[in-house]
Amino acid sequence: MAHSKSDENAPFIIRQPHVDDGSGIWRVVKESGSLDPNSSYLYLLLAKDFSDTCVVAESDGEIVGFVSGYRPPMRREVAFLWQVGLLPSMQGRGLGKRLVLGFLGSLGARGATVLETTVAPSNTASRALFLAIARQLGAECHVSPCFSAHMFPEGGHEDEELYRIGPLPQPANSRRPLDLHD
Ligand SMILES: CC(C)(COP(=O)(O)OP(=O)(O)OC[C@H]1O[C@@H](n2cnc3c(N)ncnc32)[C@H](O)[C@@H]1OP(=O)(O)O)[C@@H](O)C(=O)NCCC(=O)NCCS
């Protein structure tokens, strides 16, 4: 079981990351349970250069959750959410939903009309999270095939289905970063 020094009752700060958060994000990925781990260098780069489309949850001075994403250069209407994860002790308490809504409220997601992500069919929590987001935003959620298992060279990887949620209500993604503390 993952260790966590954070106090489970401490309030969460939802904010955009800075470079010092890269190692905390990497630790969350490793401990969250079902995320593909990337190098610590990758998470340092994300926190340094892609912070406008990333969000972290901090509790008691510790990074306990994060979202990373980007705007596909050829499809600027889309805010693509790449990874979302929480330390195990923080899961199932509504924080995942707050982080995804924080991502949609981030500076980098401003103006996006569609939220996209991919989900492995066996990831019940992730499926439930994005269906709940669609419900909360009053948006449609269209699920279609995306990456097939055979495309992953390492083997043992499931299919990834594309979730397309939209149209996003514009108030949801025209909030300023400071509103993430709400
Ligand atoms: C996926 C994850 C981010 C969800 O965050 P979370 O804080 O646990 O989810 P929330 O508490 O915000 O719940 C969101 C919705 O999903 C539902 N849900 C959450 N976990 C669930 C589970 N294990 N089974 C069924 N439904 C679940 C909640 O009931 C809620 O629905 P509601 O609003 O209709 O009540 C989190 O579980 C996690 O970090 N998992 C490991 C990493 C991972 O798999 N990431 C996704 C792949 S990129």
Side-chain angles (χ1 to χ4, degrees):
M1 180 55 132
H3 83 282
S4 171
K5 67 179 170 63
S6 65
D7 171 359
E8 292 192 11
N9 297 314
F12 299 112
I13 298 171
I14 310 286
R15 61 171 174 80
Q16 299 195 247
H18 40 77
V19 68
D20 292 344
D21 297 316
S23 60
I25 296 172
W26 178 76
R27 189 172 69 83
V28 170
V29 172
K30 278 197 1 177
E31 296 187 3
S32 67
S34 48
L35 289 176
D36 286 344
N38 295 279
S39 71
S40 52
Y41 186 85
L42 181 281
Y43 293 104
L44 286 167
L45 277 184
L46 278 181
K48 176 176 171 292
D49 286 339
F50 295 87
S51 63
D52 62 332
T53 48
C54 294
V55 182
V56 292
E58 179 188 327
S59 175
D60 208 15
E62 181 186 19
I63 301 301
V64 299
F66 85 106
V67 166
S68 59
Y70 64 94
R71 297 293 288 274
M74 306 294 276
R75 299 184 303 129
R76 295 297 297 171
E77 77 282 8
V78 172
F80 187 87
L81 189 152
W82 175 35
Q83 286 188 312
V84 51
L86 307 172
L87 292 180
S89 60
M90 300 291 157
Q91 295 174 11
R93 301 165 55 183
L95 185 55
K97 231 158 69 167
R98 285 181 61 191
L99 277 171
V100 175
L101 293 173
F103 170 69
L104 292 176
S106 68
L107 200 57
R110 184 170 295 173
T113 55
V114 179
L115 168 65
E116 283 188 1
T117 193
T118 72
V119 178
S122 70
N123 193 333
T124 309
S126 189
R127 289 175 68 94
L129 169 63
F130 289 103
L131 293 175
I133 289 287
R135 268 199 310 279
Q136 180 155 336
L137 297 179
E140 297 287 318
C141 180
H142 185 253
V143 181
S144 60
C146 186
F147 303 123
S148 304
H150 76 266
M151 294 174 170
F152 295 93
E154 70 272 34
H157 202 295
E158 266 187 84
D159 290 347
E160 289 278 338
E161 293 179 325
L162 178 68
Y163 282 50
R164 233 180 111 76
I165 296 172
L168 300 174
Q170 286 311 298
N173 56 9
S174 59
R175 301 162 75 210
R176 289 193 299 271
L178 287 178
D179 296 332
L180 297 177
H181 293 275
D182 289 351

